[in-house]
């Protein structure tokens, strides 16, 4: 499954010798790093829903348009046509909350390092004069716009009631449902639509304005709505992505709308929500870190010096803490607990380190971020490159239906990595007794260690693009 090009990638990136000085690890050859960025970016194209993927671009992952039937608004007689967007992960669900994490990562990456993103990803829009990452994100934004109700609220997800067998996307023909509005989805939606506005303004002003209007409508809905957490109704087993606390989503939206418009009411809302306590994470549930990043690194100078000072101080304090952990780890990483999706937590920390370096340049932060990426690409106790198709050590059997249906791992996908808590039967059966950091299984059965997700690839793309620039 490995192409010649991707084998070159790994040999450049990877320090397979665990004793190698981690500070020496980096993106040594820009063009080769670029090919990994392209492969990881193309995963989003290959996850597109509702459109046909042609064989000339998608190879064995080509398929006719999938999930095009109208979907029933849950427990109503209303049907909606909501096509488009990316399949979330190893399944074919489309979930607003994690989708917004993915979009936020990609827009932050483009904003920070536009030169890392070409118009040559070999997607349908390649060569149109717009960076392909923005074309790809627009595909998701247009789906998100369809998920908004007229009153501004945003439906939480569109999925079937249960996960299908390991079939190709067009073969999932069970009834689809649109699930109720949640305030987490609405807040995240408002935020990423506001983030999109300045980035698309010079590309397509009409589209950019549509994003901003949708963002404002979502924000107005939030202002008048109590928290509406989402819970899977009885009989529905697809991803829940539930979140009991929506204050961080409201904060993220306020920060992004202030950046997009300069209107002081959004900044005062952001300041109030910051004081009332929000997380500084980059998770799908805890999005306070995105609010901080948008406010601090957006194009508009924030007029609240105290808030900016606090964000900066928090970022530096967190980065120092992560560096200490990284420097005391044999593999240079900052996590000591391997949760489901541990590779995402690790890369979220690398993103924090790189943002801290932007706020206050410090080679120590960059070195730690490099070590995190090196871990992902093979400098780990298992010697596995956690990106499919990257080299001979890459996962070959990801928990990913298109790959299982095609009989080959779709390239460019980050798998979840070790999960010390053995959340699936295969892991329980085969990994009990292994050290926490080795509780990973390259098996299609191991959804808790070997699944993939758009919002894991997105943060990988952030880290790859930033380090590529810093090391060039
Ligand atoms: Zn689909």
């Amino acid at each position: 499954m490995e192409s010649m090009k991707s084998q070159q990638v790994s040999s450049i990136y990877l320090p397979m010798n665990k004793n190698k000085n981690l500070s020496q690890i980096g993106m040594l050859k820009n063009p080769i790093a670029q090919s990994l960025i392209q492969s990881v970016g193309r995963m989003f194209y290959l996850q597109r829903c509702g459109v046909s993927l042609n064989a000339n671009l998608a190879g064995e992952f080509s398929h006719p348009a999938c999930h095009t039937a109208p979907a029933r608004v849950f427990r109503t007689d209303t049907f909606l046509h909501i096509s488009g967007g990316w399949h979330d992960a190893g399944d074919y669900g489309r979930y607003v909350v994690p989708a917004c994490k993915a979009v936020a990562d990609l827009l932050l990456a483009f904003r920070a390092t536009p030169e890392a993103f070409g118009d040559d990803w070999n997607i349908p829009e390649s060569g149109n004069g717009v960076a392909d990452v923005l074309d790809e994100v627009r595909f998701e934004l247009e789906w998100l716009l369809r998920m908004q109700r007229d009153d501004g609220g945003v439906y939480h997800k569109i999925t079937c009631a249960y996960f299908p067998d390991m079939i190709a996307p067009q073969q999932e023909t069970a009834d689809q449902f649109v699930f109720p509005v949640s305030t987490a989805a609405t807040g995240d939606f408002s935020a990423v639509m506001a983030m999109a506005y300045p980035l698309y303004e010079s590309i397509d002003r009409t589209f950019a304005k549509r994003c901003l209007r949708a963002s404002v409508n979502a924000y107005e809905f939030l202002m008048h709505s109590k928290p509406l957490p989402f819970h899977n109704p009885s009989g529905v087993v697809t991803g829940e992505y539930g979140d009991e606390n929506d204050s961080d989503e409201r904060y993220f939206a306020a920060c992004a709308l202030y950046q997009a418009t300069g209107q002081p009411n959004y900044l005062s809302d952001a300041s109030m929500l910051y004081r009332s306590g929000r997380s500084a994470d980059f998770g799908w549930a805890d999005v306070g870190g995105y609010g901080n990043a948008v406010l601090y690194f957006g194009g508009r100078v924030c007029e609240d010096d105290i808030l900016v000072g606090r964000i900066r101080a928090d970022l530096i304090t967190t980065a120092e803490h992560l560096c200490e952990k990284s420097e005391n780890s044999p593999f240079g990483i900052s996590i000591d607990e391997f949760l489901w999706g541990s590779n995402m937590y690790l890369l979220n920390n690398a993103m924090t380190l790189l943002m801290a370096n932007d706020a206050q340049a410090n080679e120590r932060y960059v070195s730690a971020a490099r070590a995190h990426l090196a871990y992902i690409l093979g400098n780990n106790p298992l010697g596995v490159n956690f990106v499919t198709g990257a080299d001979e050590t890459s996962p070959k059997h990801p928990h990913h239906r298109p790959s299982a249906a095609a009989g080959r791992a779709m390239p460019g996908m980050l798998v979840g990595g070790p999960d010390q808590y053995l959340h699936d039967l295969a892991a329980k059966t085969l990994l009990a007794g292994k050290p926490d950091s080795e509780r990973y299984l390259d098996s299609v059965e191991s959804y808790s260690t070997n699944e993939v997700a758009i919002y894991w690839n997105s943060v990988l793309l952030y880290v790859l693009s930033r380090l590529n620039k810093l090391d060039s």
Side-chain angles (χ1 to χ4, degrees):
M1 82 187 173
E2 298 83 13
S3 70
M4 187 64 88
K5 195 199 283 181
S6 60
Q7 285 178 1
Q8 287 172 347
V9 169
S10 70
S11 63
I12 291 297
Y13 275 80
L14 282 184
M16 293 307 293
N17 177 355
K18 294 172 186 173
N19 297 319
K20 187 167 178 174
N21 181 351
L22 289 170
S23 67
Q24 301 297 309
I25 298 162
M27 314 288 164
L28 302 179
K29 293 277 174 19
N30 234 356
I32 293 175
Q34 285 290 351
S35 76
L36 185 56
I37 289 172
Q38 179 180 347
S39 173
V40 173
R42 266 177 57 79
M43 178 260 204
F44 295 92
Y45 163 64
L46 295 172
Q47 292 283 99
R48 284 189 191 187
C49 181
V51 293
S52 59
L53 302 193
N54 296 329
N56 62 329
L57 295 181
E60 57 265 75
F61 303 103
S62 64
H63 62 74
C66 53
H67 302 104
T68 51
R72 181 189 289 273
V73 179
F74 195 69
R75 288 189 181 138
T76 74
D77 292 326
T78 303
F79 284 81
L80 299 174
H81 284 273
I82 301 182
S83 65
W86 303 314
H87 300 136
D88 176 60
D91 67 316
Y92 297 119
R94 289 167 290 155
Y95 309 83
V96 167
V97 165
C100 289
K101 168 174 165 52
V103 167
D105 288 338
L106 297 176
L107 293 182
L108 285 171
F110 179 79
R111 176 157 200 101
T113 318
E115 57 271 41
F117 295 100
D119 189 20
D120 57 353
W121 280 5
N122 208 20
I123 65 174
E125 296 81 3
S126 293
N128 68 353
V130 174
D132 282 341
V133 69
L134 293 185
D135 288 323
E136 201 51 65
V137 167
R138 180 168 175 165
F139 187 82
E140 187 76 343
L141 291 170
E142 288 181 347
W143 163 67
L144 285 168
L145 288 166
R146 292 178 201 119
M147 291 292 280
Q148 187 174 35
R149 259 185 352 202
D150 289 344
D151 67 356
V154 178
Y155 294 114
H156 192 76
K157 65 173 181 174
I158 173 169
T159 72
C160 301
Y162 49 85
F163 293 120
D165 294 334
M166 303 309 273
I167 53 177
Q170 73 278 11
Q171 293 170 323
E172 188 185 53
T173 53
D175 290 344
Q176 288 192 103
F177 298 96
V178 181
F179 291 93
V181 165
S182 71
T183 43
T186 305
D188 284 336
F189 171 99
S190 176
V192 299
M193 288 295 162
M195 286 177 76
Y197 171 67
L199 290 170
Y200 288 88
E201 207 180 5
S202 63
I203 297 167
D204 182 341
R205 194 164 167 73
T206 304
F207 175 70
K209 282 183 162 176
R210 195 172 153 224
C211 291
L212 184 59
R213 267 198 310 276
S215 170
V216 170
N217 288 346
Y219 197 82
E220 292 298 318
F221 179 90
L222 283 182
M223 291 298 94
H224 299 104
S225 175
K226 64 178 186 187
L228 299 172
F230 177 78
H231 301 285
N232 260 341
S234 169
V236 174
V237 302
T238 49
E240 182 168 85
Y241 292 110
D243 186 356
E244 295 300 313
N245 183 348
D246 68 9
S247 67
D248 49 314
E249 285 79 10
R250 291 170 189 259
Y251 172 70
F252 181 20
C255 292
L257 270 166
Y258 171 67
Q259 273 294 335
T261 66
Q263 289 177 13
N265 59 309
Y266 297 123
L267 181 56
S268 58
D269 286 355
S271 301
M272 186 188 68
L273 287 160
Y274 186 92
R275 279 196 301 275
S276 72
R278 84 289 161 268
S279 81
D281 287 341
F282 295 103
W284 55 261
D286 296 326
V287 295
Y290 291 105
N292 294 345
V294 168
L295 203 64
Y296 195 90
F297 299 112
R300 188 182 304 281
V301 176
C302 177
E303 290 168 356
D304 185 336
D305 293 339
I306 294 172
L307 179 56
V308 168
R310 283 179 177 161
I311 290 171
R312 178 190 169 88
D314 283 353
L315 199 49
I316 301 300
T317 302
T318 305
E320 291 288 332
H321 177 63
L322 295 176
C323 280
E324 271 175 41
K325 289 184 120 177
S326 169
E327 289 157 7
N328 287 317
S329 153
F331 294 95
I333 60 173
S334 57
I335 58 169
D336 41 28
E337 184 182 17
F338 292 83
L339 302 171
W340 189 329
S342 59
N343 284 341
M344 178 198 74
Y345 293 101
L346 197 131
L347 286 167
N348 284 350
N349 288 352
M351 182 155 76
T352 301
L353 287 159
L354 291 166
M355 286 183 184
N357 180 63
D358 290 337
Q360 181 176 295
N362 188 330
E363 185 54 34
R364 195 174 162 224
Y365 303 162
V366 179
S367 294
R370 271 192 207 107
H372 285 61
L373 181 58
Y375 169 97
I376 293 292
L377 299 179
N379 190 50
N380 53 61
L382 296 160
V384 169
N385 185 326
F386 288 116
V387 181
T388 55
D391 69 26
E392 68 280 2
T393 69
S394 296
K396 294 172 179 60
H397 309 287
H399 181 85
H400 180 245
R401 284 168 178 76
S403 298
R408 172 180 181 265
M410 182 184 283
M413 302 189 299
L414 174 67
V415 298
D419 171 6
Q420 71 188 62
Y421 297 108
L422 304 174
H423 278 110
D424 62 63
L425 184 60
K428 279 187 177 71
T429 307
L430 295 169
L431 298 177
K434 298 248 186 203
D436 291 347
S437 62
E438 297 180 24
R439 292 185 167 193
Y440 164 76
L441 197 60
D442 182 15
S443 162
V444 70
E445 304 292 328
S446 186
Y447 51 82
S448 69
T449 73
N450 211 31
E451 194 170 355
V452 305
I454 53 172
Y455 54 97
W456 299 346
N457 259 52
S458 58
V459 66
L460 173 60
L461 207 51
Y462 179 94
V463 173
L464 280 171
S465 61
R466 301 303 315 281
L467 282 174
N468 185 32
K469 172 74 186 312
L470 286 165
D471 292 338
S472 63

